[in-house]
Structure formats: C-alpha cells, structure tokens
Amino acid sequence: MSALPDWGALYAAFDDVALAALASRGLVRRARAEVAAGRVEARETDQEAVTVVVGRPGVEVVLTADGPAQARCPCPVAGVCVHVVAACLWARQAVAGGAGTAPPGAGTAGAGAASSTGPAGSTGTAGTGAPGSGPEGAGSEGAGGPAGAPAGPEATGPGTGADDPVLAQVLTWDPAAVSRSLGAAAVRRATTALAGTDPARLAADTLVARAPGRLSVSWPGSPQVVVVAGLGPAGMVVSGRHSQVAHATWRLQAVVRLFALAGRAWPWEVRQTTLSAGQRRLLASVAATLEGVVAAGISHAGPRSADELSSLAQAARLEEVPRLARLLTSAAGAVRAVARRDDAVQEDTALSALAAAWSLARALEASDADPALTGRAGTEQAQPGLLVPLAATWWSAVSGSRGLTVRLWDAENHRLESVTTGRAAGTDPTFRRSEDAVLLWGVCVRTLLAGPLRLTGATRRGDGTLAPSARTTVTRCGGYDGIDLAGIARELGALRHGPQAAGFEAPPPPVTLLLTCSPGLGRIDLDELHQQYVWPVRDLAGQDHLLRLGAEDASCRLVAAVLTRDLPVDAVALEGDRPAGILVRDRGVPTLLSPTISSVRADDPGLYRRLAGRMERLRSEVRTLPPPETGPVQVLCADVRETLTALAASGAPRAQGTGAHVLVTRARTARGLQLQTLAAALDEVEAGCSPQALLRACALVDRVRALAR
C-alpha cells in the first residue's frame, strides 16, 4: 500500500471523543471491533482520495481532504455510519505508522490525550467558569480552518492561542468569511442569541478541552462542538442530530466563543433587524386565526381551533419567534379546555390568552422583529447569589400535566427567582407530590426547603426563570436563623409595582412575606359566598390580612394541622392572597413548609373535617364566585372584562342593552381615572364590536389590572 496523501494527517486529530461527537460512542465501539478483527484495509490511494474497504462483505468508503463528515459510503444508513467511523480509525492508525490490522485496544489511541482547560480555554487566562457549567459530554459543535486573512496584533499574547496551534488557527479566520460560509440563517440565529453579550461573559461559561489537532467546545445547553485543524468552518463537528441551519448556528456560536476566550469581540454586522417573509406570513396567519376564533364566539370553538393554534405555535418556533410560540401554546390549551367544557377554564381565561398572543403578533409587525419581542430560545448561564427559599407550590393543569414551582429570593442580587419543572399527563410515575421525591436539581423538596442554598452550573430560560437542569447542583448554606426576613419583606413589597409588572404573558401572582407571631393567627373559617376557606392573619405591624385557601388542595389541611399543633409561625409567604410557604419553628428549628406538598401530623383533625363537610354541601348548592375586586381601577377592569368576555364568548356583532351601557359608562370612568388609551379602546368596541377591537381592549384591560395590583 502506498503512503497516505499529505492531507491524511488531519485524521490523526479524530480521536475517540471527536468520532463519538461525529457519530456515537456505540458506533465507535463497533468500528473499533472491525479494525481489531482485521476487517478494514486500504484498496486504493491517490492524492484526491483514499478508498478503504470495511467489513465482510467489504463496503468501500472514500475518504477525502474534507474530513469524515464528507466521506462517501454506499450503505443506506443516513448520516455517519459504522463503515465511515472504521475507515477513520484505520486512517488515524495509518498516520501513526500502524496501517493495517490493529491489535485489540489500539483504536483508543488519542482518546486519553485530551486535556480540559475549563472556561479559560487553552491558556487558562480568559475566564473562570463554574464547575459543571458546560461538561464536554453535553454535545459537539465546531468550526475550523483558514477562512480569511490573518488577524492583527491582537492575536498575540496571553489568551490568544499562542500556545495552542488549533486555537491560533481559529483566530486567523476572517469573521466575514466564516459568516458567509455558514449562511445567513445561521448568522441571524447566532446574532439573536449572542449579539451584544459581553465577551467576558461568553468566555466565563465556555468549556474547552484540547487534544492534538482538535478542540472540543461546549457551554450550558449546547451540544459538543469539535474544531479540527485544517478543516475550516465546514469541517467542524457537532454532536447529535440537527437541522442544517441549527448545525451551522452551533458552529458559528462556537467560533464566537473561542474569539471571546482570546478577549476578542465578534464583529457582528450592524444592520436593522427585519422580519423575514416567512415571519410576516406567520404573523398574518396568527392574527387572522385569533380574530376568527373571537368572531365565531369562544364558546363555539372546537378542537379544530385548538389544533390550528398548536400548529401555529410550532410554526412560530420554526420561524424563530419563541415568545409568540409560548403564548400560542397557552392559547391553544385554553381553547381546548373551553371546547371540552372543562369547568376549570372559563371563557375569560381563553379570551386573555388569545388577546395576549394577538397583541404580541401586532407588536411584532409594528416593531419589525424587535429582539425583545421575538424572545429567546434555549438557556443561558446564570450566576445567582445566596438563594432563600420562600415558597413551593405543587400544581396540576386541566390537561393532566403536573409540576412544581419554587420561588426563591436572591439575597445578594436582590431579585426574586422562580423555577418550574413538570411532566405531561401519564408520564414519569416517579414524579409525584411528595416531600421526599427528587423533583428538582437532584434533591428532594424537603432538602430544597431546608434553608438557604447556592447553585452551581445554573442556567436561565428564555422567559427569565431558572432552568430545572439536571446539571445544576445544590449546596446547602445553613438555616433560616441568620436571614433578615424583615429586609426581604420590604424588598418584595417594592417589587410589586412598576412597568415591569405588566407584559404580554399573564403576570405571576405577586409574592409577599408576612411576618407574624402565633397570637396573630386566626381560626380557619369558610367564605360561603365564594366557597373558599379563609384564614385571618395579623402581621407584626398590626395589619389584618385575609388569606384564602383552595377548596380542593392540601393547603387547608396543612394550615389546620399547624394551628392544631400550635407550632410557632415566623412568616407566611403569599402568592397573591394564598399562602405558598409557611415558616414555622418545629422543636425550635425554623422549617419552611409548603402548603401544597408538606405534611404535618395533627392530633385532632376534627376542625378540618367539619369545614370540609360544610364545603362539600356548599359545592352542591352554590356556584363559586371570584373574590370581590377592591379599588376603583380593579372594579373598572372587572366590569369591563365581564362585558368583553360576554361579547367574545357569543360572537355578537355589536354590544346591546346592558353591555353597551357598561361600555359607555366605564369609558367615562376610565377618562376620569386618566386611562385615556383604555377609554378609547372601549369606545371602539361600543361603536363596532369587531374581533380586533375586542382583542385590543382585553389586552389593555389585562395590563391595567397587572399594573394596579
């Protein structure tokens, strides 16, 4: 056999890590067995290609200077097959001087040569990422090869690749040439994800592992990207299966992060963000569909309308409008619940979901794809400070899905954090409501609520909440005794107001912290009109609060047990007017209880049983009413919302009688409260009850209510 061509040396960089990213670990093991058994040999070698025969009967694999991703194999397997991997193993050994049959285990050559440099990259000076923030096994992605003119003087010195030839080669690439080679769609996605981000922040959560001839790059939420010397951006390897655009996007992001590790900012092309033709068609379809549901009457909507909204949500994801996709998914769920006459979801809930999606679609059209409106998909690295658990709520949706939402206060960054995890109906029987079930970040609920904690490897979702990633680890930091609960209560009170309280998404209930003592805890009673348990509580400032407990959840049972056992209560965390966390002293130790998950054994549950019996009788006699609104703005919004819901539910072409009177008088009230925009929207509905006018008015009412809370 003649010697390999000069370009054959690039296959030496494809160690087991790179080949596993290209294919899979299983294929690497199978390919190694073929090589060890002597079933891989060269048939023809020239300067253009090398033909290798693999297996019995033999399959001809053609290797070229473009790398394994461009190897040619006649077998019907899609993507990289075992024959290509075996040919690469043979080529790697041939470069090392051992062409032909290899002894068992020889296929592991190079597998142990990799050295992880961590977030600092190849020099250890560019960043300080948290352990576990981007393990190499997360996936693969790469971009490599000369793509343009050498970089200027900034490519020298510490952290610029002077001691790593692969990184040094990457830093010689021309960013404009790299962008052209990977395509406009990939550039658009990468720009949305990374443009404007501080290079130091990118470097901090980027993990680089190096081996002779290659670099492996990963970061939270990414696959593994492998850069091989000499192959250029087109030859980078991305682990897993991705669409062509997603594959190119991962490669471009890896190159941008390698530049950041060297302290160089990526020169993003400065241009006005515009909607693509596909996005414009999507927005027009969304608006027309939502208006059609309202025009026909929400009460008359069927499963077909919900399915159409679900399809539009999927299209929004494909068109890279993740925020709209989330709102359409919520609207589809609400319409589907109304269609099957689910008592848990009323027409007003569906109308609000439809109005939120419609208003965002219209805002996107007007703003021409403002990144703040399109939203962000995926996750990004987060570095929260000391987190103080405040509340944990177990929830279940009308679809049968269930989950857990935990609210925490970041005592160092002075912000409220939230994390939600869940499962679809009928999946994962181990995911259940229990203090001892491991539901989040690898720990059970009891441990999560036991005291302040710190997170390692935390990530944040596109909606701003923390992600329930399995890579995130929890470190306990003592108990609640040293926590300034009064300070947290003051800061939470300040968070409830301001323009950030209203958005397109339904606002979460505001979180407040009531500091209490046992003499201020009243006796649980029953609000017969609204069919709810109520719990009067007086805080340390002497202010009375009426807390509401769900009629069907476990919160009333837990509160009754706490009162029966006479446990000292230091604080109650509220979501709206419902207790979501109760800090008690059990045997002198502060303990946070979740009303919907925790359990406290009561010696005498007679009080709860009597109240439950009264509630059961009431539920068979009286329809549940919502709690009354308080304040002029809240009363105004409640009246208008009821009228808008009646019009949208029936599909009436015009407001008449009482409905018209309410619109006219409430528009006058809105002007008196200086709510001119809302008044004009109500006038438009009264003049002609078009779907557009109804949706606009409902969106405005929802935002005014959120701001007035």
Side-chain angles (χ1 to χ4, degrees):
M1 183 199 76
S2 58
L4 288 176
D6 293 339
W7 51 260
L10 67 87
Y11 285 88
F14 281 90
D15 57 10
D16 285 6
V17 172
L19 290 176
L22 179 70
S24 69
R25 294 178 182 177
L27 285 182
V28 173
R29 288 194 296 268
R30 290 173 55 193
R32 189 183 300 128
E34 293 291 326
V35 174
R39 293 193 289 267
V40 182
E41 58 186 17
R43 173 159 296 179
E44 184 179 350
T45 302
D46 57 39
Q47 290 302 314
E48 300 297 327
V50 174
T51 302
V52 180
V53 179
V54 179
R56 299 288 187 271
V59 176
E60 292 188 353
V61 177
V62 179
L63 302 178
T64 68
D66 294 327
Q70 304 302 320
R72 301 191 294 272
C73 178
C75 80
V77 174
V80 178
C81 62
V82 66
H83 308 109
V84 170
V85 177
C88 292
L89 286 173
W90 173 89
R92 190 175 76 189
Q93 295 174 10
V95 172
T101 302
T108 62
S115 64
S116 176
T117 64
S122 61
T123 65
T125 63
T128 57
S133 61
E136 183 176 305
S140 279
E141 171 180 15
E154 66 271 21
T156 63
T160 61
D163 59 346
D164 190 310
V166 182
L167 180 59
Q169 185 180 94
V170 171
L171 297 177
T172 66
W173 298 350
D174 176 31
V178 173
S179 298
R180 285 195 301 271
S181 68
L182 295 177
V187 172
R188 187 167 60 250
R189 288 192 181 186
T191 301
T192 301
L194 301 181
T197 305
D198 184 1
R201 182 178 177 184
L202 293 178
D205 63 2
T206 301
L207 185 70
V208 176
R210 50 181 182 165
R214 63 97 173 158
L215 291 176
S216 295
V217 188
S218 62
W219 58 94
S222 79
Q224 187 181 27
V225 183
V226 180
V227 186
V228 177
L231 284 183
M236 295 172 71
V237 176
V238 181
S239 66
R241 293 189 177 184
H242 310 278
S243 67
Q244 184 176 358
V245 173
H247 194 280
T249 303
W250 289 123
R251 286 181 280 162
L252 179 56
Q253 289 196 43
V255 177
V256 171
R257 288 173 177 273
L258 287 174
F259 270 59
L261 284 169
R264 294 174 54 185
W266 188 261
W268 299 103
E269 182 180 353
V270 179
R271 60 180 180 179
Q272 184 178 4
T273 304
T274 59
L275 292 170
S276 65
Q279 288 173 328
R280 292 188 182 279
R281 288 192 297 269
L282 168 70
L283 295 178
S285 298
V286 168
T289 301
L290 296 172
E291 292 165 8
V293 173
V294 173
I298 297 176
S299 295
H300 305 147
R304 181 176 179 181
S305 298
D307 292 341
E308 190 171 358
L309 291 174
S310 296
S311 298
L312 287 172
Q314 179 63 26
R317 294 186 189 94
L318 296 176
E319 292 293 343
E320 302 173 36
V321 195
R323 191 175 186 183
L324 181 60
R326 291 192 288 267
L327 291 181
L328 287 170
T329 300
S330 298
V335 170
R336 183 170 286 109
V338 170
R340 63 171 180 257
R341 303 298 183 261
D342 194 317
D343 291 337
V345 177
Q346 304 296 328
E347 285 83 353
D348 61 341
T349 303
L351 176 59
S352 291
L354 295 170
W358 181 87
S359 57
L360 178 58
R362 289 306 190 193
L364 283 166
E365 288 180 324
S367 67
D368 211 4
D370 184 343
L373 296 177
T374 56
R376 177 175 56 83
T379 60
E380 65 178 4
Q381 183 74 10
Q383 295 180 337
L386 181 68
L387 298 177
V388 181
L390 297 177
T393 303
W394 178 269
W395 51 265
S396 57
V398 294
S399 63
S401 60
R402 74 278 187 206
L404 173 71
T405 297
V406 179
R407 314 293 288 272
L408 312 102
W409 177 253
D410 189 332
E412 296 174 357
N413 298 311
H414 306 283
R415 61 175 289 167
L416 184 64
E417 297 283 10
S418 177
V419 58
T420 297
T421 184
R423 298 292 186 274
T427 62
D428 193 0
T430 64
F431 191 89
R432 67 190 190 282
R433 176 161 57 182
S434 171
E435 290 180 286
D436 300 315
V438 178
L439 306 179
L440 181 67
W441 294 328
V443 297
C444 66
V445 177
R446 190 190 305 274
T447 300
L448 198 63
L449 302 182
L453 53 92
R454 291 188 182 274
L455 301 180
T456 302
T459 54
R460 195 177 300 280
R461 285 172 163 168
D463 60 3
T465 62
L466 294 175
S469 171
R471 300 179 185 176
T472 303
T473 57
V474 174
T475 302
R476 289 279 312 280
C477 299
Y480 292 95
D481 280 326
I483 301 300
D484 181 11
L485 296 178
I488 295 177
R490 288 192 300 270
E491 293 189 273
L492 285 173
L495 290 178
R496 299 177 61 187
H497 307 289
Q500 71 275 9
F504 292 97
E505 296 80 6
V511 176
T512 55
L513 189 64
L514 299 183
L515 303 183
T516 65
C517 60
S518 294
L521 305 179
R523 183 184 180 92
I524 297 178
D525 204 345
L526 194 61
D527 181 351
E528 296 188 0
L529 179 61
H530 301 100
Q531 296 186 29
Q532 290 181 326
Y533 299 112
V534 292
W535 181 26
V537 173
R538 176 173 296 174
D539 61 24
L540 294 181
Q543 183 177 356
D544 292 326
H545 305 267
L546 190 63
L547 312 187
R548 297 185 177 273
L549 308 173
E552 296 180 348
D553 59 31
S555 58
C556 183
R557 185 186 298 272
L558 180 122
V559 171
V562 168
L563 296 177
T564 300
R565 288 189 54 186
D566 199 21
L567 292 175
V569 177
D570 291 345
V572 179
L574 304 180
E575 291 186 348
D577 57 3
R578 295 178 178 271
I582 304 176
L583 187 63
V584 304
R585 288 190 175 270
D586 191 4
R587 300 181 182 88
V589 179
T591 304
L592 182 64
L593 301 177
S594 165
T596 56
I597 300 179
S598 303
S599 60
V600 174
R601 184 179 297 277
D603 297 331
D604 179 17
L607 170 64
Y608 172 75
R609 290 177 180 172
R610 290 192 295 272
L611 289 174
R614 288 177 59 192
M615 176 66 74
E616 192 62 32
R617 291 191 296 272
L618 284 172
R619 289 173 62 83
S620 63
E621 299 172 1
V622 187
R623 180 180 179 272
T624 302
L625 299 176
E629 298 284 357
T630 59
V633 175
Q634 290 90 335
V635 171
L636 167 66
C637 291
D639 293 343
V640 171
R641 184 182 172 88
E642 183 177 355
T643 300
L644 295 177
T645 300
L647 293 171
S650 62
R654 188 177 183 86
Q656 297 178 346
T658 303
H661 173 74
V662 170
L663 291 174
V664 171
T665 56
R666 299 312 184 268
R668 188 182 308 123
T669 303
R671 288 189 178 88
L673 294 171
Q674 301 302 311
L675 300 174
Q676 302 295 342
T677 304
L678 177 58
L682 297 180
D683 289 339
E684 185 181 0
V685 175
E686 196 276 332
C689 190
S690 66
Q692 297 92 332
L694 276 172
L695 290 166
R696 183 181 297 108
C698 181
L700 282 171
V701 168
D702 287 343
R703 279 155 184 75
V704 170
R705 290 182 69 194
L707 290 171
R709 297 169 82 172

